Coordinates of all heavy atoms in Angstrom, one line a residue:
S1 N -60.3 0.7 37.6 CA -60.8 -0.4 36.8 C -61.0 -0.1 35.3 O -61.0 1.1 35.0 CB -62.1 -1.0 37.4 OG -63.1 0.0 37.0
I2 N -60.8 -1.1 34.5 CA -60.9 -0.8 33.1 C -62.2 -1.5 32.6 O -62.5 -2.6 33.0 CB -59.7 -1.4 32.2 CG1 -58.4 -0.7 32.7 CG2 -59.9 -1.4 30.8 CD1 -57.2 -1.4 32.2
T3 N -62.9 -0.8 31.8 CA -64.2 -1.3 31.2 C -64.0 -1.5 29.7 O -63.5 -0.7 28.9 CB -65.3 -0.4 31.4 OG1 -65.5 -0.1 32.8 CG2 -66.7 -0.9 30.8
F4 N -64.2 -2.8 29.2 CA -64.3 -3.0 27.8 C -65.7 -3.1 27.3 O -66.5 -3.9 28.0 CB -63.4 -4.3 27.5 CG -62.1 -4.1 27.7 CD1 -61.4 -4.5 29.0 CD2 -61.2 -3.8 26.8 CE1 -60.1 -4.4 29.3 CE2 -59.8 -3.6 27.0 CZ -59.3 -4.0 28.3
F5 N -66.2 -2.5 26.3 CA -67.4 -2.7 25.7 C -67.4 -3.9 24.9 O -66.3 -4.4 24.4 CB -67.8 -1.6 24.8 CG -68.1 -0.3 25.7 CD1 -67.5 0.8 25.7 CD2 -69.3 -0.4 26.6 CE1 -67.8 1.9 26.4 CE2 -69.7 0.8 27.3 CZ -68.9 1.8 27.3
G6 N -68.5 -4.5 24.6 CA -68.6 -5.8 23.8 C -68.1 -5.4 22.3 O -67.7 -4.3 22.0
P7 N -68.2 -6.4 21.5 CA -67.7 -6.1 20.1 C -68.4 -4.9 19.5 O -69.6 -4.7 19.6 CB -68.3 -7.4 19.4 CG -68.6 -8.5 20.5 CD -68.8 -7.7 21.8
Q8 N -67.6 -4.2 18.9 CA -68.0 -2.9 18.3 C -68.0 -3.0 16.8 O -67.2 -4.0 16.2 CB -67.2 -1.8 18.7 CG -67.3 -1.4 20.2 CD -66.4 -0.3 20.6 OE1 -66.1 0.6 19.7 NE2 -65.9 -0.2 21.8
Q9 N -68.7 -2.3 16.1 CA -68.8 -2.3 14.6 C -67.4 -1.8 14.2 O -66.8 -0.9 14.7 CB -69.9 -1.4 14.1 CG -71.2 -1.8 14.4 CD -71.6 -3.2 13.9 OE1 -71.2 -3.5 12.8 NE2 -72.2 -4.0 14.7
P10 N -66.9 -2.5 13.1 CA -65.7 -2.1 12.6 C -65.7 -0.7 12.0 O -66.8 -0.3 11.6 CB -65.2 -3.1 11.4 CG -66.5 -3.8 11.3 CD -67.4 -3.7 12.4
V11 N -64.6 0.0 12.0 CA -64.6 1.3 11.3 C -64.7 1.2 9.8 O -63.9 0.4 9.3 CB -63.2 2.0 11.8 CG1 -63.1 3.4 11.1 CG2 -63.1 2.2 13.3
A12 N -65.4 2.1 9.3 CA -65.6 2.1 7.8 C -64.3 2.2 7.1 O -63.6 3.0 7.5 CB -66.5 3.2 7.3
E13 N -64.1 1.5 6.1 CA -62.7 1.3 5.4 C -62.4 2.8 4.8 O -61.3 3.2 4.7 CB -62.8 0.3 4.3 CG -61.4 0.0 3.8 CD -60.4 -0.5 4.7 OE1 -60.8 -1.3 5.6 OE2 -59.3 -0.1 4.6
E14 N -63.4 3.5 4.3 CA -63.2 4.8 3.8 C -62.6 5.8 4.8 O -61.9 6.8 4.4 CB -64.3 5.4 3.0 CG -65.5 5.7 3.9 CD -66.5 4.4 4.1 OE1 -66.1 3.3 3.5 OE2 -67.6 4.6 4.6
K15 N -63.0 5.7 6.1 CA -62.4 6.6 7.2 C -61.1 6.1 7.4 O -60.2 7.0 7.9 CB -63.2 6.4 8.4 CG -64.6 6.9 8.3 CD -65.2 6.9 9.6 CE -66.6 7.6 9.7 NZ -67.2 7.6 11.0
L16 N -60.5 4.9 7.2 CA -59.1 4.5 7.5 C -58.2 4.7 6.3 O -57.1 4.7 6.5 CB -59.2 2.9 7.8 CG -59.9 2.6 9.1 CD1 -59.9 1.0 9.1 CD2 -59.4 3.2 10.4
A17 N -58.8 4.8 5.2 CA -58.0 4.9 3.9 C -56.8 5.8 4.0 O -55.7 5.6 3.5 CB -58.8 5.1 2.7
T18 N -57.1 7.0 4.5 CA -56.0 8.0 4.4 C -55.2 8.1 5.7 O -54.3 9.1 5.8 CB -56.6 9.5 4.1 OG1 -57.5 9.8 5.2 CG2 -57.3 9.5 2.7
L19 N -55.4 7.3 6.6 CA -54.6 7.3 7.9 C -53.2 6.7 7.7 O -53.1 5.6 7.0 CB -55.3 6.7 9.0 CG -56.6 7.2 9.4 CD1 -57.4 6.5 10.4 CD2 -56.4 8.7 10.0
S20 N -52.4 7.0 8.5 CA -51.0 6.3 8.5 C -51.2 5.0 9.4 O -52.2 4.7 9.9 CB -49.9 7.1 9.2 OG -50.2 7.5 10.4
D21 N -50.2 4.1 9.3 CA -50.2 2.9 9.9 C -50.5 2.8 11.4 O -51.3 2.1 11.8 CB -48.9 2.1 9.7 CG -48.6 1.7 8.3 OD1 -49.7 1.7 7.5 OD2 -47.6 1.4 7.9
R22 N -49.9 3.8 12.3 CA -50.2 3.7 13.6 C -51.7 4.0 14.0 O -52.3 3.1 14.7 CB -49.4 4.8 14.3 CG -48.4 4.3 15.4 CD -47.7 5.4 16.1 NE -47.8 6.6 15.6 CZ -46.9 7.4 15.0 NH1 -45.7 6.6 14.6 NH2 -47.0 8.6 14.6
P23 N -52.3 5.1 13.6 CA -53.7 5.3 13.8 C -54.6 4.2 13.3 O -55.6 3.8 13.8 CB -54.0 6.7 13.2 CG -52.8 7.4 13.0 CD -51.7 6.3 12.9
K24 N -54.2 3.8 12.1 CA -55.0 2.7 11.4 C -55.0 1.4 12.3 O -56.1 0.8 12.5 CB -54.5 2.4 9.9 CG -55.5 1.6 9.1 CD -54.8 1.4 7.7 CE -54.8 2.7 7.0 NZ -54.4 2.4 5.6
T25 N -53.9 1.0 12.7 CA -53.7 -0.2 13.7 C -54.6 0.0 14.9 O -55.3 -0.9 15.3 CB -52.3 -0.4 14.0 OG1 -51.6 -0.6 12.8 CG2 -52.2 -1.5 14.9
F26 N -54.4 1.2 15.4 CA -55.1 1.5 16.7 C -56.7 1.4 16.6 O -57.3 0.7 17.4 CB -54.8 2.8 17.2 CG -55.2 3.1 18.7 CD1 -54.6 2.4 19.7 CD2 -56.3 4.0 18.9 CE1 -55.0 2.8 21.0 CE2 -56.6 4.3 20.2 CZ -56.1 3.7 21.2
A27 N -57.2 2.0 15.4 CA -58.7 1.9 15.2 C -59.1 0.4 14.9 O -60.1 0.1 15.3 CB -58.9 2.8 13.9
S28 N -58.2 -0.3 14.3 CA -58.7 -1.7 14.0 C -58.6 -2.5 15.3 O -59.2 -3.6 15.3 CB -57.7 -2.3 12.9 OG -56.4 -2.5 13.4
E29 N -58.0 -2.1 16.4 CA -57.9 -2.8 17.6 C -58.9 -2.4 18.6 O -58.9 -2.7 19.8 CB -56.5 -2.8 18.2 CG -55.4 -3.4 17.4 CD -54.1 -3.0 17.9 OE1 -53.8 -2.3 18.8 OE2 -53.1 -3.6 17.3
R30 N -59.9 -1.6 18.1 CA -60.9 -1.0 19.1 C -61.6 -1.8 20.1 O -62.0 -1.5 21.1 CB -61.9 -0.3 18.2 CG -62.9 -1.0 17.5 CD -63.7 -0.3 16.5 NE -64.6 0.6 17.3 CZ -65.3 1.6 16.7 NH1 -65.2 1.8 15.5 NH2 -66.2 2.2 17.5
N31 N -61.8 -3.2 19.8 CA -62.4 -4.1 20.7 C -61.4 -4.5 21.8 O -61.9 -5.2 22.8 CB -62.9 -5.4 20.0 CG -64.1 -5.1 19.0 OD1 -64.9 -4.2 19.5 ND2 -64.2 -5.7 18.0
M32 N -60.1 -4.2 21.7 CA -59.2 -4.5 22.8 C -58.7 -3.3 23.5 O -57.8 -3.5 24.3 CB -58.0 -5.3 22.1 CG -58.3 -6.6 21.3 SD -56.9 -7.3 20.6 CE -56.7 -6.3 19.2
I33 N -59.4 -2.1 23.4 CA -58.9 -1.0 23.9 C -60.0 -0.6 25.0 O -61.2 -0.8 24.8 CB -58.8 0.1 22.9 CG1 -57.7 -0.3 22.0 CG2 -58.5 1.5 23.6 CD1 -57.6 0.5 20.7
P34 N -59.5 -0.2 26.3 CA -60.5 0.3 27.2 C -61.5 1.3 26.8 O -61.1 2.1 25.7 CB -59.6 1.0 28.4 CG -58.1 0.4 28.1 CD -58.1 0.1 26.7
S35 N -62.6 1.2 27.2 CA -63.6 2.2 26.9 C -63.3 3.6 26.8 O -63.7 4.4 25.9 CB -65.0 2.0 27.6 OG -64.7 2.2 28.9
L36 N -62.6 4.1 27.9 CA -62.1 5.5 27.9 C -60.6 5.4 28.2 O -60.1 4.5 29.0 CB -62.7 6.2 29.2 CG -64.1 6.9 29.0 CD1 -64.6 7.3 30.4 CD2 -64.1 7.8 28.0
F37 N -59.8 6.1 27.4 CA -58.4 6.0 27.5 C -57.9 7.3 27.3 O -58.5 8.3 26.7 CB -57.8 5.1 26.6 CG -58.1 5.5 25.1 CD1 -57.2 6.2 24.3 CD2 -59.3 4.9 24.5 CE1 -57.5 6.5 23.0 CE2 -59.5 5.3 23.2 CZ -58.7 6.1 22.4
A38 N -56.7 7.7 27.9 CA -56.0 8.9 27.8 C -54.9 8.8 26.6 O -54.5 7.8 26.1 CB -55.3 9.4 29.0
A39 N -54.5 9.9 26.2 CA -53.3 10.0 25.1 C -52.1 9.1 25.6 O -51.5 8.5 24.8 CB -53.0 11.4 24.9
N40 N -51.8 9.2 26.9 CA -50.7 8.3 27.3 C -50.9 6.9 27.1 O -49.9 6.1 26.9 CB -50.2 8.7 28.8 CG -51.3 8.3 29.9 OD1 -52.3 7.8 29.5 ND2 -51.0 8.6 31.0
Y41 N -52.0 6.4 27.1 CA -52.3 4.9 26.6 C -51.8 4.7 25.3 O -51.1 3.7 25.0 CB -53.7 4.6 26.9 CG -54.1 3.3 26.5 CD1 -54.1 2.2 27.4 CD2 -54.5 3.0 25.2 CE1 -54.4 0.9 27.0 CE2 -54.9 1.6 24.7 CZ -54.8 0.6 25.6 OH -55.1 -0.7 25.3
Y42 N -52.2 5.6 24.4 CA -51.8 5.5 23.0 C -50.4 5.6 22.9 O -49.6 4.9 22.2 CB -52.5 6.5 22.2 CG -52.2 6.5 20.7 CD1 -53.1 5.9 19.8 CD2 -51.1 7.2 20.2 CE1 -53.0 5.8 18.5 CE2 -50.9 7.0 18.8 CZ -51.8 6.4 18.0 OH -51.6 6.4 16.6
A43 N -49.7 6.6 23.5 CA -48.3 6.7 23.5 C -47.5 5.6 24.0 O -46.5 5.2 23.4 CB -47.8 8.0 24.3
Q44 N -47.9 4.9 25.0 CA -47.2 3.8 25.6 C -47.5 2.6 24.6 O -46.5 1.8 24.4 CB -47.8 3.4 27.0 CG -47.4 4.3 28.1 CD -48.0 4.1 29.4 OE1 -48.8 3.0 29.5 NE2 -47.7 4.9 30.4
R45 N -48.6 2.4 24.0 CA -49.0 1.3 23.0 C -48.0 1.4 21.9 O -47.6 0.3 21.4 CB -50.5 1.4 22.7 CG -50.8 0.7 21.5 CD -50.9 -0.9 21.7 NE -51.3 -1.6 20.7 CZ -50.4 -2.0 19.6 NH1 -49.2 -1.5 19.6 NH2 -51.0 -2.6 18.6
F46 N -47.7 2.5 21.4 CA -46.9 2.6 20.2 C -45.4 3.1 20.5 O -44.8 3.5 19.5 CB -47.6 3.5 19.2 CG -48.8 2.9 18.6 CD1 -50.1 3.2 19.0 CD2 -48.7 1.8 17.7 CE1 -51.1 2.6 18.5 CE2 -49.8 1.2 17.2 CZ -51.1 1.6 17.6
A47 N -45.1 3.3 21.7 CA -43.8 3.9 22.1 C -43.5 5.2 21.4 O -42.4 5.2 20.7 CB -42.8 2.8 21.9
V48 N -44.3 6.0 21.5 CA -44.2 7.4 20.8 C -44.3 8.4 21.9 O -44.8 8.1 23.0 CB -45.2 7.7 19.7 CG1 -45.0 6.7 18.5 CG2 -46.6 7.7 20.3
T49 N -44.0 9.8 21.6 CA -44.1 10.8 22.6 C -45.5 11.1 22.8 O -46.4 10.8 22.0 CB -43.3 12.1 22.1 OG1 -44.0 12.5 21.1 CG2 -41.8 11.8 21.9
L50 N -45.8 11.8 23.9 CA -47.2 12.2 24.1 C -47.7 13.2 23.0 O -48.8 13.0 22.6 CB -47.2 12.9 25.5 CG -48.6 13.4 26.0 CD1 -49.7 12.1 26.0 CD2 -48.6 13.9 27.3
R51 N -46.9 14.0 22.5 CA -47.3 14.9 21.5 C -47.6 14.2 20.2 O -48.6 14.5 19.6 CB -46.1 15.9 21.2 CG -46.5 17.0 20.3 CD -47.7 17.9 20.7 NE -48.3 18.7 19.7 CZ -49.5 18.8 19.4 NH1 -50.4 18.1 20.1 NH2 -49.9 19.5 18.4
T52 N -46.9 13.3 19.9 CA -47.1 12.4 18.6 C -48.5 11.7 18.8 O -49.3 11.6 17.9 CB -46.0 11.4 18.4 OG1 -44.8 12.1 18.1 CG2 -46.3 10.4 17.2
A53 N -48.7 11.1 20.0 CA -50.0 10.5 20.4 C -51.1 11.5 20.2 O -52.1 11.1 19.6 CB -50.0 9.9 21.8
Q54 N -50.9 12.6 20.7 CA -52.0 13.7 20.6 C -52.3 14.0 19.1 O -53.5 14.2 18.7 CB -51.6 14.9 21.4 CG -51.7 14.7 22.9 CD -51.0 15.8 23.7 OE1 -50.1 16.5 23.3 NE2 -51.4 15.9 24.9
K55 N -51.3 14.1 18.3 CA -51.5 14.4 16.9 C -52.2 13.2 16.2 O -53.1 13.5 15.5 CB -50.1 14.6 16.2 CG -49.5 15.9 16.6 CD -48.1 16.1 15.8 CE -47.5 17.4 16.2 NZ -46.2 17.5 15.5
D56 N -51.9 12.0 16.5 CA -52.5 10.8 15.9 C -53.9 10.8 16.4 O -54.9 10.5 15.6 CB -51.8 9.5 16.2 CG -50.5 9.3 15.6 OD1 -50.1 10.2 14.7 OD2 -49.8 8.4 15.8
L57 N -54.2 11.0 17.6 CA -55.5 11.0 18.1 C -56.4 12.1 17.4 O -57.6 11.9 17.2 CB -55.6 11.1 19.7 CG -55.0 9.9 20.4 CD1 -54.8 10.1 21.9 CD2 -55.8 8.6 20.1
E58 N -55.8 13.2 17.2 CA -56.5 14.3 16.5 C -56.9 13.9 15.1 O -58.1 14.2 14.8 CB -55.6 15.5 16.5 CG -56.3 16.8 16.2 CD -57.3 17.3 17.3 OE1 -56.9 17.1 18.5 OE2 -58.4 17.8 16.8
L59 N -56.1 13.1 14.5 CA -56.5 12.6 13.1 C -57.7 11.6 13.3 O -58.7 11.8 12.5 CB -55.4 11.8 12.6 CG -54.1 12.6 12.1 CD1 -52.9 11.7 11.7 CD2 -54.5 13.6 10.9
L60 N -57.8 10.8 14.3 CA -58.9 10.0 14.5 C -60.1 10.8 14.9 O -61.3 10.4 14.5 CB -58.5 8.9 15.6 CG -57.4 7.9 15.2 CD1 -57.0 7.1 16.3 CD2 -58.0 7.0 14.0
L61 N -60.0 11.8 15.6 CA -61.1 12.7 16.0 C -61.7 13.3 14.7 O -62.8 13.4 14.6 CB -60.7 13.7 17.0 CG -60.4 13.2 18.4 CD1 -59.7 14.4 19.1 CD2 -61.8 13.2 19.1
D62 N -60.8 13.8 13.9 CA -61.2 14.5 12.6 C -62.1 13.5 11.8 O -62.8 14.0 10.9 CB -60.0 15.1 11.9 CG -59.4 16.3 12.6 OD1 -60.0 16.8 13.5 OD2 -58.3 16.5 12.3
K63 N -61.7 12.4 11.8 CA -62.4 11.3 11.0 C -63.6 10.8 11.6 O -64.3 10.0 11.0 CB -61.5 10.1 10.6 CG -60.2 10.4 9.8 CD -60.6 10.5 8.4 CE -59.4 10.6 7.6 NZ -59.7 10.7 6.2
G64 N -63.9 11.2 12.7 CA -65.1 10.8 13.5 C -65.0 9.4 14.1 O -65.9 8.8 14.5
I65 N -63.8 8.9 14.2 CA -63.6 7.6 14.8 C -63.5 7.6 16.3 O -64.0 6.8 16.9 CB -62.3 7.0 14.1 CG1 -62.3 6.8 12.7 CG2 -61.9 5.6 14.9 CD1 -61.1 6.5 12.0
L66 N -63.0 8.8 16.8 CA -63.0 9.0 18.3 C -63.9 10.1 18.7 O -64.2 11.0 17.9 CB -61.5 9.3 18.7 CG -60.4 8.2 18.6 CD1 -59.2 8.7 19.1 CD2 -60.9 7.0 19.4
I67 N -64.2 10.1 20.0 CA -64.9 11.2 20.7 C -64.0 11.6 21.9 O -63.5 10.8 22.5 CB -66.3 10.8 21.1 CG1 -67.2 10.2 20.0 CG2 -67.0 11.8 22.0 CD1 -68.4 9.5 20.4
R68 N -63.9 13.0 22.0 CA -63.1 13.5 23.1 C -64.0 13.8 24.2 O -65.1 14.5 24.1 CB -62.3 14.7 22.7 CG -61.5 15.3 23.7 CD -60.7 16.5 23.2 NE -60.4 16.3 21.9 CZ -59.8 17.3 21.0 NH1 -59.5 18.4 21.5 NH2 -59.5 16.9 19.8
Q69 N -63.6 13.5 25.4 CA -64.3 14.0 26.7 C -63.3 14.6 27.6 O -62.2 14.2 27.8 CB -64.9 12.7 27.4 CG -66.0 12.1 26.6 CD -66.6 11.0 27.5 OE1 -66.1 10.5 28.4 NE2 -67.9 10.6 27.0
G70 N -63.7 15.8 28.2 CA -62.9 16.5 29.1 C -61.9 17.4 28.4 O -61.9 17.6 27.2
K71 N -61.1 18.2 29.2 CA -60.1 19.0 28.7 C -58.7 18.9 29.5 O -58.8 18.5 30.6 CB -60.7 20.5 28.8 CG -61.8 20.7 27.8 CD -62.2 22.2 28.0 CE -63.4 22.4 27.0 NZ -63.4 23.7 26.4
G72 N -57.7 19.4 28.8 CA -56.4 19.4 29.5 C -55.9 18.0 30.0 O -56.2 17.0 29.2
K73 N -55.4 18.0 31.1 CA -55.0 16.6 31.6 C -56.0 15.7 31.9 O -55.7 14.5 32.1 CB -54.0 16.8 32.8 CG -54.8 17.4 34.1 CD -53.8 17.5 35.3 CE -54.6 17.9 36.4 NZ -53.8 18.0 37.6
N74 N -57.3 16.1 31.9 CA -58.4 15.2 32.2 C -59.1 14.7 30.9 O -60.0 14.1 31.0 CB -59.5 15.9 33.1 CG -59.0 16.1 34.4 OD1 -58.3 15.3 35.0 ND2 -59.3 17.3 34.9
T75 N -58.4 15.0 29.7 CA -59.0 14.6 28.4 C -58.9 13.0 28.3 O -57.9 12.4 28.6 CB -58.2 15.2 27.3 OG1 -58.2 16.5 27.4 CG2 -58.8 14.7 25.9
R76 N -60.0 12.5 27.9 CA -60.1 11.0 27.6 C -60.9 10.9 26.3 O -61.5 11.7 25.8 CB -61.0 10.3 28.7 CG -60.4 10.4 30.1 CD -59.1 9.7 30.3 NE -58.5 9.7 31.6 CZ -57.7 10.6 32.0 NH1 -57.2 11.5 31.1 NH2 -57.2 10.6 33.2
Y77 N -60.5 9.7 25.6 CA -61.1 9.5 24.4 C -61.9 8.2 24.3 O -61.6 7.2 25.2 CB -59.9 9.3 23.3 CG -59.1 10.5 23.2 CD1 -58.0 10.7 24.1 CD2 -59.3 11.5 22.4 CE1 -57.1 11.9 24.0 CE2 -58.6 12.7 22.2 CZ -57.5 12.9 23.1 OH -56.7 13.9 23.0
L78 N -62.8 8.0 23.5 CA -63.5 6.7 23.3 C -63.9 6.6 21.9 O -63.9 7.7 21.1 CB -64.7 6.7 24.2 CG -65.9 7.6 24.0 CD1 -67.3 6.9 24.1 CD2 -65.9 8.7 24.9
F79 N -64.1 5.4 21.4 CA -64.5 5.2 20.0 C -65.9 5.6 19.9 O -66.8 5.2 20.6 CB -64.2 3.7 19.6 CG -62.8 3.4 19.3 CD1 -62.0 3.0 20.4 CD2 -62.2 3.8 18.1 CE1 -60.6 2.7 20.2 CE2 -60.9 3.5 17.9 CZ -60.1 3.0 18.9
G80 N -66.2 6.3 18.8 CA -67.5 6.8 18.5 C -68.4 5.9 17.6 O -67.9 4.9 17.0

């Protein structure tokens, strides 16, 4: 099952300013994204490789936009 949280606060514009289009678009769609998702969700959403998805998600983690849970193949992300 997929859980969607109610409306979340938008990401602060200063956090998005230096991001490329893909991560910026993903962050702006946060209300339409499952509460916990894996990197392959992002990869499929943007038709990119898993490695590219992981790099983009790392950028969002560094900005404090995402929170990582788990390790390895059990890694999941959620908006912070």
Side-chain angles (χ1 to χ4, degrees):
S1 72
I2 297 175
T3 303
F4 293 91
F5 287 113
Q8 298 180 24
Q9 296 298 320
V11 177
E13 193 60 38
E14 60 271 6
K15 289 186 176 183
L16 299 175
T18 59
L19 293 174
S20 62
D21 289 341
R22 238 185 353 256
K24 191 180 292 189
T25 299
F26 192 71
S28 69
E29 297 173 349
R30 68 187 293 165
N31 288 328
M32 298 179 286
I33 298 169
S35 58
L36 280 174
F37 60 91
N40 63 2
Y41 176 88
Y42 184 98
Q44 290 174 359
R45 165 68 180 82
F46 291 104
V48 297
T49 66
L50 183 57
R51 184 64 192 127
T52 297
Q54 290 167 333
K55 287 179 181 179
D56 285 358
L57 293 171
E58 196 66 39
L59 292 172
L60 293 169
L61 285 164
D62 290 345
K63 294 282 186 182
I65 296 170
L66 291 180
I67 298 168
R68 182 181 325 174
Q69 291 185 342
K71 293 187 180 204
K73 67 180 183 176
N74 294 319
T75 301
R76 299 292 180 264
Y77 302 89
L78 66 138
F79 283 95

